[in-house]
Amino acid sequence: MPTSKLNDSIQFLKSVGPKRAEVFASCGLKTIRDLLFYFPSRYLDRTTIISSNKAFDLTLNGFDGEITIIAKVVNKESRRFGKKEILTVNLRDQDGFFSCVWFQGVKYFKDRFESGQLFAISGKPTISKFNELQFTHPDFDQITEDESQTFYNTGKIIPFYRISKELKSKNIGDLSLRKIITYAIDGYINDVEETLPDFILQKHNLLSLKETVKQKHYPDSDGKIRLADLRLKFEELFYLEILVAARKHNYKEKVPGLALPVRTKVVHDFLKILPFELTEAQKKVLHDIRIDMANIQPMNRLLQGDVGSGKTIVALISMLITIDNGYQAVLMAPTEILADQHSKNITLLMEKFNEVFPSYKINVSLLIGGQKKSERNKQLESIVLHEANIIIGTHALFEETVQFKNLGLVVIDEQHRFGVVQRALLMKKGTTPDVLVMSATPIPRTLSMTVYGDLDISIINEMPKNRIPIKTYLRGESRLPDIYSFVIKELEKGNQSFIVYPLVEESEKLELKAATSYYNELKETYFKEINVGLIHGKMKWREKEEIMFLFAEKKLDVLISTTVIEVGIDIQSANIMIINDAHRFGLSQLHQLRGRIGRGTEQSYCILVTKDEFVASSQRVTRNLEYLSSAQIEKYKSSVRLQSMVKHLDGFKIAEIDLKLRGPGDIFGIQQSGFPEFRYVDITTDGEILIEAKREAFTIIEQDPQLRNKQHDIIRKHLIDHYSNNLKYARIA
Ligand code: ADP
Ligand code: MG
């Protein structure tokens, strides 16, 4: 970190001193810089403040926006209804009375209000049955008479800060914090150094950093707050994308790859033995891949497509092109059972191919744990000798000492975790094979641009034509007997069912149904006459494989399962998916599970089973989300998830809803994916800024990969000061 007055301790600020500085330090505010960049969590704008009378009229006429009223507390009362306690606070402004009610956290809110205190109350009010204006769980801020005067007499917007418990306990509230921050701005604002070059500020109409800091604390207008936010978001995304661009540039330029000319004959020959036509989307994606492969720079492509969209065939064709050029191809699956399944399907297809076109000599080898030593050695040998040209396994393929003779392509299936670091490992092994990552998690574009920023992206946005859309229903548990009868009735037509439960063993705490105990019960009751199998994550893959095999052979009619069948498994005659305790599953997980059916030529059904009361509540998904307690929101969220499943089949649509409900960090698990934690950016809404910042960053790196130009000095310096950990694969420092 460069020397700067901003690194001074805040204890020398007027009215701080060593004692208070210690408290500030305990919440991460140590230096002047920390304080200057400690931005308000929200603002009160005079223009949204109205009188209680006006608010009453507006609400009566159906106005549905946020309203703020400044008023004094008259009194408060709390009443008990059985176990529940309800708090009512009555307030008055110059025009009249209104009230606020709390159903949750009454103990806490009760102590926040004393009669005579002045508050700014914000929220969406309603008209109560006593014909009175009422806020339920509103936002509120205690303010001083002075502030209320400011509201009315000047156009000023008042900042409100998040005040930690520690600060509160030392009597540092909004008022004193505002004062201290004012001292910091007055004394130090001119020491704030710009972190973006001037030409970028000009080009994108961004405020300077100084102005941004000033406007964040003391905005001249709403518009200025937005401009300040824009500048902060742009900067955050710009530096992220500079790193991405540099990494990508490095990978493309510095690493020798393979140029594999596509002899189209192999593709044509393979298509001849394929029992179906490729979809337009598959053809388009294949076209992208072929261009990449022919290029000397290594391919580094993400193939995105919803479950069942036919990614595997595309991958297989890419592998055949690789092999046709004399190289080996690897297919890496996330689990052994999936590797096993890929191996079976691909072997079948390749047997047919070899029969018709023996000259290609395709030889599939499977390498997974649990194989006999002799079997394993045989496979390893065939890989070294290049007898095997399609090698299928899990990621263990790379961790172990598997010797490839001549590796040309690595296909990675359903594995988001295979990231920058692993690719860097591949680079180390000499010539860099082409890499194709396949993902069925249809993440929204803005997210994939950040998570997979250095990959090129191809999307299969079309399902094979023969598919019949799956019908999805939401049912209460009380309907289970009917559902079981339905399963048996469908069985008479040859249709098999999956029944999924959330956990392997009964967990008393969560009261979740366990696959094992339900398997035992159903076998003795509803499904006495039919063949039921059980599969769960604690089985060895051999056991799982055996069960899957029996199911595929129709020796089993119903397969009871935990989520181990979530990814990849492909059994066409299974077209009923029953998911128990569906409210417990995440949206993308539900979508993945549903993707296991709907692959055959029969109508498929997905039945989401949940508590009876959830079925009712999910149907009246309320609009007033902000009034709900966190417990209620949990309930509400599962309603949204379940209803989204009923409404939508499109994985991208579902992913977008999921992102809104959970936020990006949750979707990927921040560590796993290297997904950045943003301070200012909300990736669900800032897509346009991202695109602009990305374009700028990529242009700069293209023109000046090492940032040696004078006008890029600020960028290089800022990267070295603040992102040194991330520069490893970027070659800038
Ligand atoms: P995913 O994208 O989920 O990996 P798969 O590649 O497993 O999908 O394909 C799902 C099923 O659809 C497979 O049985 C596959 O053979 C079949 N399939 C793939 N492409 C087509 C197509 N163009 N027309 C008809 N069926 C197809
Ligand atoms: Mg697949």
Side-chain angles (χ1 to χ4, degrees):
M1 198 71 60
T3 51
S4 155
K5 276 172 79 184
L6 297 190
N7 295 333
D8 289 356
S9 162
I10 62 173
Q11 70 162 299
F12 305 111
L13 276 177
K14 206 155 113 194
S15 87
V16 179
K19 272 233 177 84
R20 277 185 153 184
E22 228 167 79
V23 188
F24 275 110
S26 74
C27 9
L29 300 173
K30 294 178 185 147
T31 62
I32 301 287
R33 185 192 313 278
D34 296 336
L35 203 56
L36 286 179
F37 285 84
Y38 190 70
F39 295 136
S41 53
R42 55 201 199 83
Y43 304 89
L44 262 187
D45 181 350
R46 192 182 75 103
T47 53
T48 65
I49 297 172
I50 56 179
S51 72
S52 60
N53 249 348
K54 183 91 191 293
F56 185 90
D57 286 346
L58 281 174
T59 308
L60 204 59
N61 288 315
F63 178 76
D64 189 33
E66 191 61 27
I67 281 170
T68 301
I69 305 177
I70 294 189
K72 262 196 182 127
V73 177
V74 178
N75 60 20
K76 58 181 175 182
E77 51 192 322
S78 70
R79 272 167 298 164
R80 287 196 163 275
F81 294 91
K83 274 189 188 165
K84 283 227 149 142
E85 193 177 3
I86 296 180
L87 170 70
T88 308
V89 176
N90 295 302
L91 299 104
R92 70 173 299 171
D93 68 355
Q94 73 277 20
D95 277 5
F97 293 86
F98 67 98
S99 66
C100 300
V101 288
W102 280 267
F103 302 102
Q104 309 280 341
V106 166
K107 255 201 208 110
Y108 171 83
F109 291 113
K110 209 158 43 178
D111 294 338
R112 305 274 84 72
F113 298 92
E114 296 300 340
S115 55
Q117 288 175 339
L118 193 61
F119 279 89
I121 305 279
S122 310
K124 289 182 187 179
T126 52
I127 306 294
S128 78
K129 60 179 183 237
F130 304 112
N131 204 31
E132 178 198 54
L133 189 70
Q134 190 168 74
F135 290 85
T136 309
H137 280 231
D139 279 334
F140 59 89
D141 295 290
Q142 198 190 342
I143 56 177
T144 61
E145 289 287 349
D146 258 8
E147 279 173 339
S148 89
Q149 287 314 305
T150 333
F151 283 139
Y152 287 113
N153 300 334
T154 71
K156 224 169 168 187
I157 297 171
I158 304 288
F160 285 89
Y161 296 86
R162 219 166 267 122
I163 310 247
S164 71
K165 266 201 218 95
E166 290 86 357
L167 289 177
K168 269 184 201 150
S169 73
K170 289 287 179 279
N171 279 324
I172 300 170
D174 270 301
L175 272 184
S176 29
L177 188 58
R178 256 175 240 146
K179 228 189 261 159
I180 292 167
I181 286 178
T182 310
Y183 295 140
I185 291 176
D186 290 350
Y188 292 88
I189 192 70
N190 287 324
D191 293 302
V192 172
E193 278 179 36
E194 187 50 60
T195 47
L196 286 173
D198 205 38
F199 77 93
I200 291 186
L201 298 182
Q202 302 283 340
K203 187 165 156 195
H204 299 275
N205 276 324
L206 301 172
L207 297 184
S208 71
L209 192 55
K210 265 179 220 171
E211 188 61 16
T212 300
V213 171
K214 237 195 273 180
Q215 292 295 339
K216 280 296 281 183
H217 292 292
Y218 288 107
D220 291 336
S221 67
D222 241 16
K224 281 283 166 65
I225 302 177
R226 272 195 300 271
L227 280 179
D229 285 338
L230 174 67
R231 144 86 208 213
L232 294 166
K233 287 165 192 259
F234 185 96
E235 174 170 346
E236 193 165 40
L237 290 166
F238 173 76
Y239 278 104
L240 173 80
E241 292 298 333
I242 278 279
L243 288 170
V244 168
R247 216 156 52 207
K248 185 166 177 173
H249 186 272
N250 180 30
Y251 192 82
K252 291 247 155 174
E253 296 301 315
K254 304 277 162 144
V255 185
L258 305 168
L260 303 187
V262 179
R263 286 173 259 177
T264 43
K265 185 167 179 315
V266 66
V267 180
H268 283 290
D269 286 347
F270 177 68
L271 291 181
K272 276 182 212 152
I273 66 129
L274 205 60
F276 47 76
E277 282 243 338
L278 293 186
T279 62
E280 288 309 310
Q282 282 172 317
K283 286 182 201 162
K284 158 104 191 22
V285 162
L286 203 54
H287 177 76
D288 295 343
I289 293 173
R290 286 160 69 158
I291 291 176
D292 280 1
M293 291 180 90
N295 197 320
I296 180 81
Q297 297 171 343
M299 168 162 75
N300 209 3
R301 185 167 289 277
L302 170 69
L303 175 53
Q304 259 190 315
D306 211 343
V307 271
S309 61
K311 297 183 292 295
T312 314
I313 291 296
V314 171
L316 186 56
I317 295 174
S318 319
M319 293 163 96
L320 291 176
I321 296 171
T322 308
I323 294 164
D324 191 41
N325 276 281
Y327 290 90
Q328 291 172 307
V330 159
L331 172 58
M332 213 169 85
T335 64
E336 293 180 319
I337 185 158
L338 267 178
D340 182 55
Q341 184 187 282
H342 272 313
S343 153
K344 286 212 164 61
N345 292 340
I346 291 176
T347 304
L348 269 180
L349 262 176
M350 289 301 105
E351 274 169 7
K352 201 164 153 198
F353 189 52
N354 283 335
E355 217 175 281
V356 184
F357 301 101
S359 62
Y360 291 111
K361 296 199 181 66
I362 306 298
N363 188 357
V364 181
S365 162
L366 174 68
L367 256 193
I368 41 183
Q371 280 172 323
K372 283 209 194 81
K373 197 146 193 204
S374 55
E375 167 72 14
R376 192 178 171 73
N377 286 340
K378 203 179 96 195
Q379 302 284 347
L380 283 171
E381 197 177 281
S382 75
I383 295 170
V384 187
L385 296 177
H386 202 320
E387 279 160 13
N389 36 28
I390 294 185
I391 298 124
I392 301 174
T394 62
H395 58 281
L397 275 175
F398 286 96
E399 283 152 19
E400 295 172 27
T401 49
V402 180
Q403 294 281 323
F404 298 100
K405 176 84 186 298
N406 204 353
L407 185 56
L409 170 69
V410 180
V411 178
I412 299 150
D413 189 20
E414 318 269 7
Q415 183 103 349
H416 327 122
R417 265 166 272 182
F418 191 87
V420 175
V421 179
Q422 284 86 345
R423 267 177 283 134
L425 271 179
L426 279 178
M427 287 162 63
K428 273 197 193 140
K429 296 196 168 178
T431 49
T432 311
D434 287 325
V435 174
L436 182 67
V437 183
M438 301 199 285
S439 170
T441 312
I443 52 178
R445 207 167 93 87
T446 45
L447 249 188
S448 56
M449 278 172 68
T450 43
V451 178
Y452 300 113
D454 52 348
L455 299 185
D456 298 309
I457 299 180
S458 296
I459 296 176
I460 303 186
N461 55 0
E462 174 189 14
M463 286 289 179
K465 283 184 196 64
N466 54 3
R467 300 286 158 77
I468 304 167
I470 302 169
K471 290 187 172 154
T472 305
Y473 301 97
L474 180 62
R475 292 287 179 260
E477 283 167 343
S478 58
R479 300 285 300 278
L480 275 171
D482 299 340
I483 295 169
Y484 297 143
S485 311
F486 177 71
V487 166
I488 292 171
K489 209 178 87 211
E490 283 292 306
L491 185 60
E492 285 158 14
K493 298 189 219 158
N495 296 333
Q496 297 162 281
S497 304
F498 292 106
I499 302 185
V500 178
Y501 294 93
L503 279 182
V504 187
E505 275 148 14
E506 199 89 49
S507 148
E508 282 182 3
K509 248 193 204 157
L510 294 169
E511 292 177 52
L512 295 183
K513 297 174 194 105
T516 315
S517 57
Y518 271 80
Y519 165 73
N520 289 327
E521 191 188 318
L522 285 172
K523 216 169 45 164
E524 300 302 324
T525 55
Y526 292 97
F527 295 151
K528 212 167 179 170
E529 311 287 319
I530 63 174
N531 298 315
V532 188
L534 171 68
I535 186 169
H536 58 71
K538 293 210 174 141
M539 291 173 156
K540 297 225 163 57
W541 75 264
R542 276 272 186 223
E543 299 172 273
K544 288 189 221 163
E545 181 204 46
E546 216 160 285
I547 303 279
M548 290 308 298
F549 182 72
L550 289 174
F551 193 54
E553 293 283 293
K554 296 202 172 186
K555 302 255 164 49
L556 293 173
D557 306 316
V558 171
L559 187 59
I560 291 183
S561 161
T562 58
T563 53
V564 286
I565 52 157
E566 190 180 328
V567 270
I569 302 287
D570 185 11
I571 292 178
Q572 303 215 344
S573 55
N575 55 1
I576 300 173
M577 169 63 66
I578 298 164
I579 306 174
N580 286 281
D581 279 326
H583 57 278
R584 294 277 181 192
F585 290 84
L587 197 44
S588 67
Q589 211 177 12
L590 289 172
H591 181 68
Q592 281 288 335
L593 284 168
R594 181 168 61 183
R596 299 304 106 222
I597 57 169
R599 292 161 170 248
T601 44
E602 291 277 317
Q603 175 65 57
S604 298
Y605 303 92
C606 174
I607 305 173
L608 307 170
V609 181
T610 184
K611 296 195 188 318
D612 289 295
E613 75 249 30
F614 275 166
V615 179
S617 73
S618 84
Q619 269 146 10
R620 52 179 155 77
V621 166
T622 91
R623 281 193 314 168
N624 298 332
L625 185 58
E626 62 265 46
Y627 295 153
L628 304 177
S629 67
S630 53
Q632 286 170 314
I633 286 172
E634 263 323 295
K635 197 163 157 185
Y636 180 85
K637 273 190 178 174
S638 55
S639 298
V640 175
R641 288 201 297 266
L642 296 172
Q643 289 298 339
S644 307
M645 284 294 291
V646 173
K647 257 195 18 231
H648 302 289
L649 277 176
D650 176 4
F652 277 93
K653 187 78 212 162
I654 285 183
E656 239 151 60
I657 298 170
D658 202 24
L659 183 63
K660 280 198 188 116
L661 289 177
R662 291 202 289 167
D666 268 355
I667 290 189
F668 289 96
I670 292 192
Q671 269 118 17
Q672 287 177 10
S673 62
F675 190 81
E677 252 180 298
F678 290 118
R679 185 154 175 211
Y680 304 115
V681 169
D682 174 357
I683 202 69
T684 56
T685 52
D686 294 334
E688 273 175 42
I689 308 173
L690 171 64
I691 289 167
E692 205 175 315
K694 178 176 177 139
R695 198 175 292 140
E696 186 63 66
F698 272 70
T699 312
I700 288 175
I701 289 296
E702 199 170 295
Q703 291 164 354
D704 180 16
Q706 308 215 300
L707 300 173
R708 294 292 169 201
N709 291 356
K710 185 122 190 53
Q711 61 168 354
H712 299 148
D713 269 357
I714 288 187
I715 304 174
R716 204 176 83 247
K717 189 166 160 305
H718 188 71
L719 280 175
I720 291 167
D721 287 348
H722 296 273
Y723 292 86
S724 53
N725 289 339
N726 303 311
L727 290 177
K728 206 153 105 206
Y729 303 115
R731 300 195 187 208
I732 281 174

